[in-house]
Each structure stands twice: as C-alpha cells, then as structure tokens.
Amino acid sequence: MAAESMLSVVQSLHTAEQSWCIWLKEMGAGDYQQTANCLFSILGWLGQRSIENLIASVAPPSEFISYLKFSLSKHVSYVLSYSAGIFTKYNRFPYQETSINEWFTHSAEGVPRDQAVNIINVDKDGQTRKCYKTQNQVDDFPEALEDFECEIFFHGTKHRSAEDIIEGGINLKKGDEKKDFSDRDGFYVSKNFDEAFEWTGKRRYPSSAVLVFRVKKSELRDYNGLNLRDHGDEWQDVISKFRSGKANRIHRSYHFIEGPMASVSRNNPRFEYPVQKYGSYQLCVRNVNCAELFDRSLHSVVFFDR
C-alpha cells in the first residue's frame, strides 16, 4: 500500500511537470493576466502539497523523502524562473509596450511642457538598425533638432527614473554626492547621445533610456551659469571642492555649471588634482528654475530594451 502511494505521488509530480511545460511554452506576454492567474494557481498547488502532506500517509524511506524535496524544489524553481521571464518581457517598457520601434507621443499632466513628449520603445533589432534615428519622417535624429535657436542635451538613465522625470519633472535632490559640479544637488546632461546611452551601461542599470532636451539658447544663457570649458585652473579648483564635499557658497550659487568631465583614475581617487577627460563635456543643472526650463524642453525619450 505504501509503495502504491509513493508511486501515485511520483506520477502526480511527473504529470504536473509535463502539463506545466507544455502550457507555459504556449503562453505569451500578450496573455499577461491569464498567465499571472495560472502561475499563481500552480504555485498554490505546490504550496498545498507540502512534503508533510504528501508523505503523511505513506511513511516512506529517507531516500524517497529526499527525492520529493528535490522534485518539488525543481518545479518551484522552474515556475518562478519562467514567470520572472515572462513578466519582465511583458513589462519591459513603461509606455505603450506593444508599440515597438515606432514613435508616439505622450502628454504628462503634472509637468507643463512646450509640446507632448515623443517616445519610442526600441528592441534589440531596432537598436541594431538605429530605428530611432528617423523621427516624423525626418532623418538624422537627434542632431537635426539643433539649430541657431536651440541646443540639444542628453541624459542617460534607467526606465523608472526616465518615467519619473516625464511625469513629475527633474528632482535635483536625487543627485549623487560629491560629483564634478554638484554634491547631492545636480542633474547632469551631455551633448552626445551615444555617450549618454553608454553611461547607463557603466552604471549597470537594469534598463536604459536616453532623454533628449531641446533648450532655447536665449533662455538657458539668461541664467547665472559658470562656463569652465576654457578655464583649466578654475575648473580644477571647482571639481576639487565639490568632490571633497567642500564647495563654497559661491560655487553652489550658480544655476548651472558646464565644462569638461574629470578623468577617473585609481592614482587619484580623491580628485585632489583632477585631470580633464579629453573631448568631454557636461552641464550640471543646479537651480530649480533652470531645472524647470529643462522640464519644459523635454523633447523625446528613447527607451531601450536592455
């Protein structure tokens, strides 16, 4: 009788495994709600059939108990692994996730802007083809956005942070501590799209997005900014102060600071004598009003599937 009970348990597990494998492979991200419900049912089945319940009436040997533990743990691991994969696939983009490799617009009620934000969700194939380079039948995006009146800036980040900026604007208090031109009070942009995208990889973000700002030159240059592009000694002093957490009131009073990036080196971890990274550029937004200008000027966001 005990042997028959143990055989029944084994057959039940094998049947469940075969059914789950067939069903799960047929499910797609488009069946998200059905997938979620069924996966939770499977996990519930596993939870109800604990080791104690399965072996209570059969008094099996220790080898059989070990087999049951291994088999159940394998099923749980398989289901959890698959569910994580399918949910990640389904939720890979924060806006119109079924719209892939084509531009659409989104209006956020919480932030006043000059226009709706252009958004594109780029998958692996689209990234290879650089499908985002054409916007509204205009090639050479985003370079084509720059003209005599406007400057183009880029900010690389993860999906969640990009969504926060789209919906709620830039929050300067979320800035990292002891950076080149800020200490927990700055938002950085660059002048190179690819550089902004590569930055997200260096930070090991789970996802990548690049925000594109089209800012009117006349409005930006009206703010109290500090240009350190051609002032090596002052650039070195400013970075040393911010990197050491000793920036003075004058440094902190600027609405934005722009200039080369500091080259990171193991030989100079404290940046006491910072060295410029050749050919680099960054602008740090430091003032709330200046941040609002960038919020209004958010033109496009490219979400990458990575």
Side-chain angles (χ1 to χ4, degrees), residues 173-200:
K173 294 181 180 179
K174 289 188 176 182
D176 293 336
E177 65 176 1
K178 298 180 180 179
K179 294 302 179 182
D180 287 356
F181 301 145
S182 63
D183 188 7
R184 295 181 178 177
D185 56 358
F187 178 81
Y188 286 82
V189 293
S190 69
K191 298 286 287 183
N192 187 290
F193 182 95
D194 293 333
E195 187 177 85
F197 172 69
E198 292 170 1
W199 172 252
T200 65

Side-chain angles (χ1 to χ4, degrees), residues 6-23 45-46 49 54 64 67-68 70-72 74-75 78:
M6 288 188 287
L7 179 61
S8 176
V9 171
V10 173
Q11 291 176 338
S12 177
L13 287 172
H14 284 176
T15 300
E17 179 179 12
Q18 293 174 358
S19 299
W20 298 341
C21 289
I22 294 173
W23 176 79
W45 186 92
L46 290 171
R49 281 149 180 78
L54 286 171
F64 186 67
Y67 166 77
L68 285 180
F70 170 77
S71 184
L72 280 174
K74 182 180 69 173
H75 296 325
Y78 179 83

Side-chain angles (χ1 to χ4, degrees), residues 63-107:
E63 293 82 359
F64 186 67
I65 295 177
S66 298
Y67 166 77
L68 285 180
K69 290 181 178 179
F70 170 77
S71 184
L72 280 174
S73 64
K74 182 180 69 173
H75 296 325
V76 171
S77 176
Y78 179 83
V79 173
L80 289 178
S81 175
Y82 184 88
S83 62
I86 196 169
F87 292 152
T88 299
K89 180 179 179 181
Y90 185 82
N91 294 308
R92 56 181 176 168
F93 298 115
Y95 299 98
Q96 296 189 27
E97 50 202 347
T98 58
S99 179
I100 306 298
N101 299 335
E102 57 184 21
W103 288 97
F104 57 90
T105 59
H106 173 78
S107 297

Side-chain angles (χ1 to χ4, degrees), residues 111-129:
V111 182
R113 291 198 169 94
D114 298 337
Q115 62 177 35
V117 180
N118 299 282
I119 295 177
I120 187 171
N121 300 322
V122 182
D123 64 9
K124 299 296 184 182
D125 176 64
Q127 184 176 337
T128 301
R129 296 186 291 107

